[in-house]
Amino acid sequence: MRLFQSALYFLALMLIVSGVLGATTVSLSAPSAATFGSTIILTATVAPSGATGKVTFYDGVSILGTAPVFADHATLTATMAGSGSRSLSARYSGDSSHSGAISSPSIVVVNTTKAFALAESIKDMQTNIGDVAVGDFNGDHKPDLVAVGSANFVQFAPGNGDGTFGSPIRSIIAGDSAYAYVVAVDFDEDGNPDLALSDAIADRIQIVFGHGDGTFGVGINLSGPHGRMVVADFNGDSHADLAVLHSSTNTVGVFLGNGHGAFAAAIEVPFAPNTTFSPLLAGDLNGDGKPDLITMVPANPLGGFVRNIVWIQGNGDGTFGTGFSFPFNGGYTPYDQMALGDLNGNSK
């Protein structure tokens, strides 16, 4: 009898290990439509019950945010900053008794009908604006703005939810700095958006952590040249990573995040020359579920209107493979900015 019980226990254990029993699934609940610039509520459900850990929500390969699992659910309020058909998904990180899992995609059609009347000008941010980022920085489920410029502070303007904004709140960042660019994402996964700041004076990247009330505290510095930045999950571990365009070395520095606000040393990826004023984007251009990097550079470094679109394919592990370059003739307009979006509604 004891031998029979031992055999049953061993069989059950093998079934669990092999995934036949206790297979973890995650499903995503999202609205089918949204308005550009509005906020939506995303809910991921993890089964079987009793799961702990975190769920990371994605818009394509871009991270929308991370939320803890409570009572088998994780909920995130996300701002829809892209237009067209958006493929949203949720990735559960797993715990000691639940394996990781990825949901099926949910398509949300984001229309570009303005979410609010534009009768009022944007409030004076009380600084020379170099760059802005959008996020819910004070936890009221309304899109806010942060602006950076030619000084060592960031300005936060709380959104009223109708296209207007409250008085700016200033957060002083220690050091003699001037910030050229900013991106916002929850790097330490505490539910509050953080900022990556491109420091033009010290030639570095600063990460400052959000308090959830519109202010930001002490952060960390990432070594390497400053430049334009983009956030994505480049190695598929459900944590936000940061790519920085290094125009002085014709490379992109990819900093892999660990979900606790720390980063590994940069992986330098050969990219493209003449990127001093170039944009940097991340997106899945070849449909393999892995984020790629895209920029646009002058075809002729001496001048002219023709630009080259440069695209390098992501391998999904933080490294990058084959690169492609193709010309884009903007006529008599020297284009230096780009955006990615589903312009024809085919989910690509």
Side-chain angles (χ1 to χ4, degrees):
M1 182 66 178
R2 184 173 299 173
L3 179 63
F4 178 71
Q5 290 175 335
S6 298
L8 286 178
Y9 174 80
F10 179 77
L11 177 61
L13 179 63
M14 291 301 294
L15 288 173
I16 292 173
V17 170
S18 63
V20 176
L21 291 180
T24 303
T25 61
V26 58
S27 58
L28 176 62
S29 174
S32 59
T35 302
F36 178 81
S38 65
T39 57
I40 62 173
I41 296 177
L42 304 175
T43 302
T45 303
V46 181
S49 63
T52 59
K54 297 178 180 179
V55 171
T56 301
F57 297 84
Y58 292 82
D59 178 357
V61 296
S62 298
I63 292 179
L64 293 173
T66 301
V69 178
F70 179 75
D72 303 328
H73 296 84
T75 301
L76 181 77
T77 300
T79 301
M80 301 311 298
S83 60
S85 296
R86 317 299 299 182
S87 180
L88 307 189
S89 60
R91 176 179 289 176
Y92 171 58
S93 60
D95 60 19
S96 60
S97 57
H98 296 74
S99 61
I102 303 175
S103 73
S104 298
S106 293
I107 303 300
V108 178
V109 178
V110 180
N111 66 70
T112 54
T113 302
K114 58 188 180 183
F116 39 73
L118 298 179
E120 180 176 327
S121 298
I122 296 297
K123 181 172 289 290
D124 181 7
M125 295 298 287
Q126 301 174 12
T127 185
N128 295 322
I129 296 177
D131 198 12
V132 297
V134 179
D136 178 17
F137 299 106
N138 61 355
D140 64 355
H141 299 173
K142 300 173 184 177
D144 311 311
L145 295 176
V146 294
V148 297
S150 56
N152 64 328
F153 57 79
V154 298
Q155 293 284 83
F156 157 73
N160 297 320
D162 59 358
T164 64
F165 297 87
S167 299
I169 300 171
R170 178 171 297 184
S171 288
I172 303 296
I173 310 300
D176 183 16
S177 305
Y179 300 119
Y181 309 111
V182 59
V183 294
V185 75
D186 184 8
F187 288 114
D188 58 359
E189 298 178 5
D190 65 349
N192 302 320
D194 311 309
L195 301 178
L197 303 167
S198 184
D199 187 342
I201 291 181
D203 201 23
R204 65 186 178 185
I205 302 299
Q206 286 185 277
I207 308 295
V208 294
F209 300 108
H211 294 150
D213 59 358
T215 64
F216 301 88
V218 176
I220 60 173
N221 297 324
L222 303 181
S223 61
H226 82 288
R228 291 187 183 270
M229 303 171 292
V230 68
V231 173
D233 180 12
F234 293 109
N235 62 346
D237 65 351
S238 301
H239 304 311
D241 308 314
L242 182 70
V244 183
L245 188 59
H246 294 163
S247 59
S248 60
T249 57
N250 299 329
T251 62
V252 171
V254 179
F255 296 88
L256 300 179
N258 67 359
H260 300 290
F263 296 81
I267 301 171
E268 294 294 334
V269 181
F271 204 29
N274 309 316
T275 58
T276 301
F277 301 105
S278 297
L280 181 65
L281 303 176
D284 180 16
L285 295 190
N286 58 352
D288 64 355
K290 303 169 184 176
D292 310 315
L293 289 172
I294 310 99
T295 191
M296 179 169 55
V297 299
N300 183 348
L302 299 179
F305 299 109
V306 178
R307 297 291 187 263
N308 284 337
I309 306 295
V310 180
W311 160 44
I312 56 173
Q313 298 182 43
N315 295 324
D317 59 359
T319 66
F320 294 81
T322 305
F324 300 91
S325 178
F326 50 93
F328 174 80
N329 192 338
Y332 292 101
T333 302
Y335 291 102
D336 287 312
Q337 297 296 327
M338 296 188 300
L340 293 177
D342 176 21
L343 301 183
N344 59 357
N346 65 352
S347 300
K348 299 178 182 178

